[in-house]
């Protein structure tokens, strides 16, 4: 039986850690499908497969997935609710004989969290030094930066901020986010 | 004491009285009061005792950070009484007092002042005997040291840090700052205006002048889009690239501003005369603030010292508040208050053309001497000129110059995203400040690149000469720096001793070193020093302005910090098994689950499994991956057959061993390489760095977190894997030592390698992190019948030491070469290049100075500990790097460095135990257990 | 009250001692020109004039005396190093401090309150044991203490963090202490000046005139001076100054930052430092808590300080002493350190015959002020490098005889 | 906090970056003298003024070069190593 255990699952490394809820909501999407492609050949394969590649640090929609360009040859497909599209893509990627890049194992190496709610902007201003206000950081941008001192990929999705980061830091980051924002559930947004 | 009637007291809410205690006595105040204003309203002017002489001190500026006003709150030493808002039940105590504030036994020091000249501690306290200072004098000095008291149990409250970004930050919400902020915001800029007061408006909130302009500006602030007004917020420093900490209570905003305008006003400079430090002597602005903001009458009978027109306004305000005006002293030749002087005279106030020469009083001002005449008063309000608030601009690179003609200090900014507005720019006065704010905003807009309207012409201001009265008194107590109790003669003597450079003077005399950092001593000190050294005030200058501008609690600065903590995918399993966890770098690792000897025995006799997920795991892929590894590591990897695992050893460019691991060639163009737990971050970064220079066709992926790893080891290891079910042949012939396979174990995809640290048959299974728990469970299940035990770090260390495997960082240091480790076999001689090769060759020519060997100690005898010295003819030549009791062998096993001539098996060397006992040890092979290595190859 | 102070209290006029004479005009030549009027240069001048009879000495200082790293360091004095060479050298330094106040008739307030360095891991503890074993073997007062011992030495330390910051033991160095940094320089300056050494402030070296393998003259902003020997001892400016003489030093410059709180009634007797937190604390005799330990992570010749380093140091301090959260910070500053590849100084000869080096002091130079001054004076006076300095030769880098002190230098300065 | 402008990620606080020191030209190890090799190992560019140095943007693992004045700390230019002349 194939079985996966992510950090917050029973038996996982961050089992039982509660996530902030309320005006600030932290959701765990780690189990959602995604795939990272990295190294020479990655972009060529994607282009050959019909993807219109965004610039580095931008993202684009592709076949119901979000295609993130993290570097010249470093790409990430986020397939929340588009697992089948990802499976199809992976099938043809695996079958491709020529240069096609290599798996970056992002579905294993990274946790995927989403921070949302009315206090999301104030919370992000505490967690991250980059200017993430919507006028400066619209939805098609990616910030590779730090969240609470942890390296992370941040984007502003329609449903909140998506944060991808080292999966072994899951418990640590939950703790840091909770400590930095614990007051936001009771207070109005400022300044 | 009753308060002045409304409209005096704009900041207090008379409907909300508050009760608090000062020195154990109950005092009433109002919401909106500061501690200082409430105490002043109560007639309690003395707030503290001074640092050195324990003189009574109180309010000077109502704005500053002077030691005068520092009080002790519960768990919070050195709090500024003028700034801390009053709250119900607050316990306030005076600081630096022996006995009580009123009857401070330390006050005797004031009488002994003659015996404590400036720098006195350099002249005495030296004997008798060489440690007399430590034994006798320093404890005495330390008993007198310090101001406030820490409370060991204090938690410091809650601190939160965040970030802000803006086009323009305006610091200071006086008329200039308000005007700058609204001008820029109305032009479309994204503006933050921070002001440290509860209400913006600056001097217009306590002076008549400009008060009329304030409501209009505040309405524009309200209406301006994109203008964020942050009240009660202090900008406490300027750092590179306009990075500014804004602080309010327990909040820190690290603020990035594309442009900054400093509208920080000016700092009143007190004149110098004998007993100028008595409570009751206030800056004129302080008297005005007390009246306007807090409805506190600052005295009953006042003398005003005015060398600026503001002084006359202060006098009029005092009169209006019902304070009897005894006299106004204006020593300026030809100086006058114009219309205002006439008004005062009409009210019967005498205007004396002289300065205040002396004051007297014990705990409060009783009288001042003006032009030789003593005048009774309980208030002296001084308006003797200002210096631009230079701290922030100077931190940002501004220079504080001095106009010798007018005697005024003037700031000049460097080119850059910075501006000055208002009094800090020499544009005092309401209308001038407002216009200067608008000008500064337009200039900032232009620098931001937006359309900027032309500035309106600013009114010319021609400030009069600045003549700060400095009246040195032969008997002293004419204080220049109140924080540090420095008198005029102290500065003169300091110069006479040779410390005439301002920074030397500061260090010898401690001028400006106190809590207010020279705010109120700058002008007087510069003048005194200029006169004493024959230089101009401009040449003397002010001391370097260092951040922070005002005091800031350490907790606020520490708000953003916590050590990083990593957990392997199996963390939950270890906890469930009751493991004792130990930090290893950022990781948590199981130290032991049960009895360490049992764990060792299980590995030697049956099987054990160890979570090795913290190992670095790097995948190198691309046509030049092998060639790349050949350049990075000492062994040959390009010719490594597919499916084989090879040891890899990494040197730095100095030829020092920095890491080791294994490389599994998975395909022609793909290697899976491990690195040690502590080194992988650096190894990975170095790989990327080297390849940024070499530009080889290789991609490096750091899979450390993506993969978990379990090492199954022991005579029964193979049986356990077979029981768990594997997709590949596990037999020795099909899968020998130092081979790797991809396949499945217990249905989990794995990269399996025949490697280990224990010397037993070992299979290291690397699997995707999300599959680690199922794999662990399956192995546990399969191992039940075979005696499998999970083991921890401690057992692992013993097992590796029995086998003489080194741990880099423990058995090596910053200079260890492979030859010192006896690892010459790991150096490929044929490769033209690898990192460290050239240095290694040069170091080889120097010869060895030590060798790492195995050490065997006589059984039953005293054993040295780790790091104990190895001596040769009494001289240290090395040390024991690792030692442990081997349950397998029933004796100690150890590694250590010895002199190279002694590195021959059987040689006797001497180790020095921690208690000094010398013990003999025999040099032996590194490997104590199964020296031929047969067990691991089975 | 000490009798010495009676003189001040009972004299009608303040009895001026004149510690530092005003800068005189430059003479055409000096036996020894010392570039750098910091602690090291002034100490060398003192030892030359007092013990070697060399009084024709000019100390050239670009700014004001001891205004560089002497004024900016956090005054730790210790000898808890790892190598025999390092321990022998710094031990002599500590011994000289013990006599310094009386030798100079200037109270430098040397106080051996002891230094406690904290270990947060077994690996650190192991390195502490090595330092303790080596130090004790060579006669310094040093020992490893367990957590009980740590608590006894610093009762207010927060011990039970758990995790990576758990304190597992410490290195107690009873010889460790502090001194009033400025006073050390002033004491040497004052005594050197009394013996004829000239102190030239606001005197900047612009170039060196080479005559064959020697320096013939030193060109300054105030004129040209001939020289017998030249010593370079100018801290953060060693690299560019040596380069003017054609000597390229293996040095990179980094700012080192520190900060200080408002005065508090004494609560911390010993010096406390933590290698893992890169933080150390000492409470001065004024009651201020000096917090240091942060080197900037990239090369820079600047004494600007940063908010990030302040936050880092504050975090370290409150980890150790949580009650410091409500203590107010007064001031932060930085010095420019000159770091060598092996974190050890460069002393002795240079490739230029009469040019001597006292460089590469990085973050740890203050404690060596007396011993470097004394031994460099001996070197210059005799023309021979004494055995105690030989391991620190510039030539060690060409021959890979580096000093193995990297582990003992970090964070406790 | 100083800003460093990453050629790939744009302006960021310098604490997102790791300095790898001034660019060094390695001599040919086959022919260089011991003295030259030691010089390569131990001497770093440290002259007051502009140095060209390596930086890594840590979150994206991108390496680039910067021209920075090590006295004023002013960054004159940052560029991808592919653009190095």
């Amino acid at each position: 039986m194939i079985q996966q255990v992510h950090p917050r699952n029973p038996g996982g490394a961050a089992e039982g850690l509660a996530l902030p809820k309320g005006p600030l909501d932290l959701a765990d999407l780690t189990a959602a499908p995604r795939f990272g492609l990295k190294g020479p050949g990655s972009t060529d394969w994607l282009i050959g497969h019909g993807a219109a590649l965004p610039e580095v640090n931008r993202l684009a929609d592709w076949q119901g997935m979000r295609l993130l360009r993290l570097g010249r040859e470093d790409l990430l497909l986020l397939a929340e609710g588009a697992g089948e599209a990802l499976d199809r893509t992976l099938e043809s990627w695996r079958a491709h004989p020529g240069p096609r890049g290599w798996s970056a194992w992002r579905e294993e190496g990274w946790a995927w969290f989403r921070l949302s709610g009315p206090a999301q902007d104030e919370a992000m201003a505490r967690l991250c030094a980059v200017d993430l206000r919507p006028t400066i950081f619209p939805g098609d941008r990616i910030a590779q930066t730090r969240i609470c001192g942890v390296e992370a990929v941040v984007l502003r999705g329609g449903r909140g901020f998506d944060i991808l980061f080292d999966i072994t830091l899951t418990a640590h980051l939950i703790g840091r986010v909770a400590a930095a924002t614990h007051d936001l559930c009771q207070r109005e947004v400022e300044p | 004491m009753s308060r002045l009637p409304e409209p005096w007291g704009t900041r207090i809410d008379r409907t909300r009285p508050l009760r608090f205690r000062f020195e154990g006595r109950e005092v009433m105040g109002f919401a909106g009061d500061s501690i200082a204003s409430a105490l002043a309203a109560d007639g309690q002017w003395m707030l503290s005792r001074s640092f050195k002489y324990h003189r009574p001190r109180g309010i000077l500026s109502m704005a500053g950070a002077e030691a005068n006003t520092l009080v002790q709150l519960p768990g919070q030493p050195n709090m500024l009484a003028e700034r801390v808002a009053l709250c119900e039940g607050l316990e306030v105590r005076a600081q630096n007092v022996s006995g009580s504030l009123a009857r401070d036994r330390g006050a005797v020091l004031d009488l002994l002042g003659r015996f404590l000249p400036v720098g006195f501690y350099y002249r005495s306290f030296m004997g008798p005997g060489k440690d007399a200072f430590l034994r006798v004098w320093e404890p005495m000095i330390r008993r007198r040291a310090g101001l406030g008291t820490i409370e060991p149990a204090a938690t410091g409250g809650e601190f939160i840090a965040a970030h802000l970004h803006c086009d323009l930050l305006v610091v200071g919400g006086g008329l200039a700052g308000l005007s700058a902020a609204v001008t820029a915001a109305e032009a479309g800029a994204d503006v933050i205006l921070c002001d440290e007061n509860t209400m913006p408006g600056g001097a217009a909130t306590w002076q008549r002048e400009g008060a009329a302009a304030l409501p209009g500006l505040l309405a524009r602030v309200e209406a301006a889009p994109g203008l964020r007004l942050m009240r009660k917020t202090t900008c406490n420093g300027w750092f590179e690239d306009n990075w500014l900490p804004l602080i309010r209570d327990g909040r820190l905003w690290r603020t990035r501003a594309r442009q900054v305008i400093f509208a920080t006003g000016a700092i009143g400079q007190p004149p110098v005369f004998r007993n100028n430090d008595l409570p009751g002597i206030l800056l004129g602005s302080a008297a005005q603030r007390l009246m306007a903001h807090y409805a506190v009458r600052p005295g009953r009978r006042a003398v005003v010292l005015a060398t600026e027109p503001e002084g006359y306004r202060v006098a009029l305000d005092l009169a209006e508040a019902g304070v009897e005006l005894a006299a106004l002293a204006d020593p300026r030749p030809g100086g006058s208050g114009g219309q205002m002087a006439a008004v005062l005279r009409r009210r019967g106030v005498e205007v004396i053309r002289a300065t205040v020469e002396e004051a007297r009083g014990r705990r409060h001002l009783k009288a001042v001497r003006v032009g030789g005449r003593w005048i009774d008063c309980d208030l002296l309000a001084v308006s003797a000129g200002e210096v631009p608030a230079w701290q922030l601009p100077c931190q940002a690179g501004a220079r504080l110059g001095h106009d010798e003609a007018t005697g005024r200090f003037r700031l000049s900014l460097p080119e850059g995203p910075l501006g000055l507005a208002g009094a800090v720019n020499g544009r005092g006065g309401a209308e001038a400040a407002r216009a200067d704010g608008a000008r500064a905003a337009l200039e900032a807009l232009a620098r931001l690149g937006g359309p900027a309207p032309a500035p309106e012409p600013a009114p010319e201001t021609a400030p009069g000469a600045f003549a700060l009265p400095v009246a040195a008194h032969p008997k002293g107590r004419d204080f220049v720096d109140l924080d540090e109790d420095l008198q005029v003669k102290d500065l003169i003597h300091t110069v006479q001793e040779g410390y005439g450079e301002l920074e030397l003077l500061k260090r010898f005399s401690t001028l400006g070193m106190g809590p207010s950092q020279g705010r109120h001593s700058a002008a007087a000190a510069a003048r005194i020093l200029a006169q004493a050294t024959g230089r101009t005030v401009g040449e003397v200058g002010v001391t370097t302005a260092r951040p922070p501008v005002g005091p800031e609690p350490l907790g606020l600065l520490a708000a953003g910090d916590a050590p990083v903590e990593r957990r392997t995918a199996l963390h939950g399993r270890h906890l469930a098994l009751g493991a004792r966890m130990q930090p290893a770098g950022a990781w948590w690792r199981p130290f032991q689950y049960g009895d360490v000897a049992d764990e060792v025995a299980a590995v030697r006799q049956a099987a054990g499994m160890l979570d090795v997920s913290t190992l670095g795991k790097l995948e190198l892929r691309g046509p030049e991956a092998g060639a790349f590894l050949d350049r990075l590591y000492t062994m040959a990897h390009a010719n490594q057959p597919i499916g084989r695992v090879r040891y890899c050893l990494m040197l730095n460019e100095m030829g020092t061993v920095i890491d080791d691991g294994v490389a599994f060639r998975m395909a022609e163009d793909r290697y899976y390489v491990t690195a040690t737990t502590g080194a992988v971050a650096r190894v990975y970064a170095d790989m990327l760095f080297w390849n940024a220079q070499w530009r080889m066709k290789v991609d490096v992926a750091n899979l450390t977190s993506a993969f978990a790893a379990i090492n199954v080891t022991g005579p029964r290891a193979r049986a356990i894997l077979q029981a768990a079910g594997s997709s590949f042949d596990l037999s020795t012939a099909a899968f020998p030592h130092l081979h790797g396979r991809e396949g499945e174990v217990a249905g989990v995809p794995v990269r399996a390698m025949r490697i280990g640290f224990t010397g037993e048959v070992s299979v290291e299974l690397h699997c995707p992190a999300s599959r680690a728990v199922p794999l662990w469970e399956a192995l546990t299940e399969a191992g039940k019948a075979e005696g499998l035990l999970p083991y921890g770090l401690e057992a692992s260390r013993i097992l590796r030491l029995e086998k003489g495997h080194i741990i880099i960082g423990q058995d090596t240091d910053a200079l260890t070469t492979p030859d010192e480790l006896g690892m010459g076999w790991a150096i490929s001689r044929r490769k033209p290049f690898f990192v460290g090769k050239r240095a290694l060759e040069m170091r080889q020519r120097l010869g060895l100075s030590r060798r790492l060997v195995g050490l065997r100690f006589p059984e039953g005898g005293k054993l040295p500990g780790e790091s104990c010295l190895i001596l040769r003819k009494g001289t240290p030549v090395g040390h024991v790097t690792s030692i442990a009791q081997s349950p397998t062998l029933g004796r100690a096993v150890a590694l250590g460095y010895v002199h190279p001539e002694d590195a021959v098996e059987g040689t006797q060397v001497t180790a020095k135990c921690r208690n000094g006992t010398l013990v003999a040890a025999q040099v032996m092979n590194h490997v104590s257990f199964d020296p031929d290595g047969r067990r691991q190859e089975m | 009250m000490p009798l010495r102070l009676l003189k001040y209290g009972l004299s009608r006029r303040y009895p001026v001692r004149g510690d530092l004479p005003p800068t005189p005009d430059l003479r055409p030549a000096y036996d020894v020109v010392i570039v750098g009027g910091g602690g090291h240069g002034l100490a060398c001048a003192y030892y030359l004039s007092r013990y070697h009879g060399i009084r024709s000495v000019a100390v050239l200082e670009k700014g004001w005396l001891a205004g560089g790293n002497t004024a900016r360091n956090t005054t730790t004095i210790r000898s808890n190093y790892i190598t025999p060479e390092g321990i022998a050298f710094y031990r002599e330094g500590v011994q000289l401090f013990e006599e310094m106040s009386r030798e100079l008739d200037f109270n430098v307030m040397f106080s051996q309150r002891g230094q406690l360095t904290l270990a947060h891991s077994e690996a650190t503890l192991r390195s502490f044991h090595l330092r303790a074993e080596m130090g004790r073997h060579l006669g310094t007062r040093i020992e490893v203490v367990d957590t009980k011992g740590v608590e006894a030495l610093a009762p207010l330390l927060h011990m039970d963090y758990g995790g990576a910051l758990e304190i597992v033991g410490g290195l107690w160095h009873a010889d460790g202490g502090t001194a009033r940094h400025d006073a050390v320089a002033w004491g040497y300056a004052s005594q050197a000046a009394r013996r004829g050494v000239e102190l030239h402030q606001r005197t900047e070296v612009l170039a060196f005139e080479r005559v064959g393998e020697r320096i013939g003259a030193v060109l300054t902003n105030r004129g040209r001076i001939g020289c017998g020997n030249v010593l370079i001892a100018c801290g953060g400016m060693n690299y560019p100054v040596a380069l003017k003489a054609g000597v390229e030093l293996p040095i990179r410059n980094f700012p080192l930052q520190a900060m200080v709180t408002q005065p508090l009634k004494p609560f911390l007797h010993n010096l406390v430092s933590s290698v893992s937190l890169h933080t150390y604390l000492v409470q001065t005799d004024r009651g201020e808590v000096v917090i240091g330990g942060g080197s900037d992570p990239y090369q820079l010749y600047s004494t600007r300080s940063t908010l990030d380093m302040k936050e880092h140091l504050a975090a370290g301090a409150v980890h150790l002493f949580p009650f410091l959260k409500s203590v107010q910070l007064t001031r932060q500053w930085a010095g420019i350190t000159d770091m060598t590849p092996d974190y050890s100084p460069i002393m002795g000869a240079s490739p230029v015959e009469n040019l001597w080096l006292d460089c590469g002091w990085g973050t740890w130079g203050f404690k060596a002020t007396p011993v470097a001054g004394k031994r460099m004076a001996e070197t210059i006076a005799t023309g021979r490098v004494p055995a105690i300095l030989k391991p620190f030769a510039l030539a060690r880098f060409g021959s890979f005889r580096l000093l193995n002190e990297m582990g003992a230098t970090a964070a406790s300065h | 906090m100083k800003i460093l402008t990453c050629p790939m990620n744009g302006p960021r606080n310098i604490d997102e970056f790791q300095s790898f020191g001034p660019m060094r030209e390695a001599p040919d190890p086959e022919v260089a003298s011991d003295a030259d090799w030691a010089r390569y190992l131990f001497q770093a560019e440290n002259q007051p003024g502009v140095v060209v140095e390596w930086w890594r943007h840590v979150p994206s693992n991108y390496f680039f070069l910067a021209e920075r004045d090590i006295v004023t700390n002013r960054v004159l230019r940052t560029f991808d190593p592919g653009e190095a002349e």
Side-chain angles (χ1 to χ4, degrees), chain D residues 7-74:
Chain D
M8 191 173 101
N9 294 281
R12 289 295 169 81
N13 286 352
I14 202 160
D15 71 350
E16 286 195 10
F17 300 87
Q18 183 185 6
S19 167
F20 276 73
M23 218 167 126
R24 295 177 302 158
E25 205 60 58
D28 181 347
E30 300 278 318
V31 298
S33 69
D34 281 5
D36 282 350
W37 195 259
R39 190 183 172 283
Y40 159 71
L41 288 180
F42 297 119
Q43 298 290 347
E45 187 55 70
N46 193 46
Q47 214 171 331
V50 176
V51 301
V52 181
E53 57 188 359
W54 283 102
W55 288 87
R56 169 195 183 203
H57 181 248
V58 179
S60 65
N61 282 306
Y62 171 75
F63 278 79
F64 62 96
L65 292 159
E67 286 174 14
R68 185 173 62 92
D69 186 318
I70 58 172
V71 176
T72 63
N73 209 15
R74 207 162 72 85

Side-chain angles (χ1 to χ4, degrees), chain A residues 56-57 70-72 74 129-130 142-146 151-153, chain D residues 8-13 15-17 57-62 80:
Chain A
V56 173
N57 281 322
L70 302 174
R72 253 176 307 215
D74 191 353
V130 173
I142 298 165
Q144 301 185 61
T145 179
R146 288 213 172 101
E151 270 92 54
V153 174
Chain D
M8 191 173 101
N9 294 281
R12 289 295 169 81
N13 286 352
D15 71 350
E16 286 195 10
F17 300 87
H57 181 248
V58 179
S60 65
N61 282 306
Y62 171 75
D80 186 273

Side-chain angles (χ1 to χ4, degrees), chain B residues 163 239-243 256 653-654 681 684-686 688-690 692-693 695 832-833 837-839 841-842 845, chain D residues 1-3 13 18 20 24 28-30 32-34 37-38 40-42 54 56 61 63 72-73 80-82:
Chain B
H163 301 89
F239 298 93
E240 274 174 302
D241 291 337
N242 280 352
W243 180 250
R256 177 76 71 191
E653 286 195 283
M654 277 285 304
Y684 173 58
D686 279 354
L688 299 177
F689 180 47
W690 284 120
Q693 298 166 76
R695 320 217 115 226
F833 174 85
K837 178 172 195 274
R838 183 62 203 268
E841 288 163 0
M842 289 161 73
R845 288 200 289 278
Chain D
M1 181 96 65
K2 179 145 194 71
I3 294 175
N13 286 352
Q18 183 185 6
F20 276 73
R24 295 177 302 158
D28 181 347
E30 300 278 318
S33 69
D34 281 5
W37 195 259
Y40 159 71
L41 288 180
F42 297 119
W54 283 102
R56 169 195 183 203
N61 282 306
F63 278 79
T72 63
N73 209 15
D80 186 273

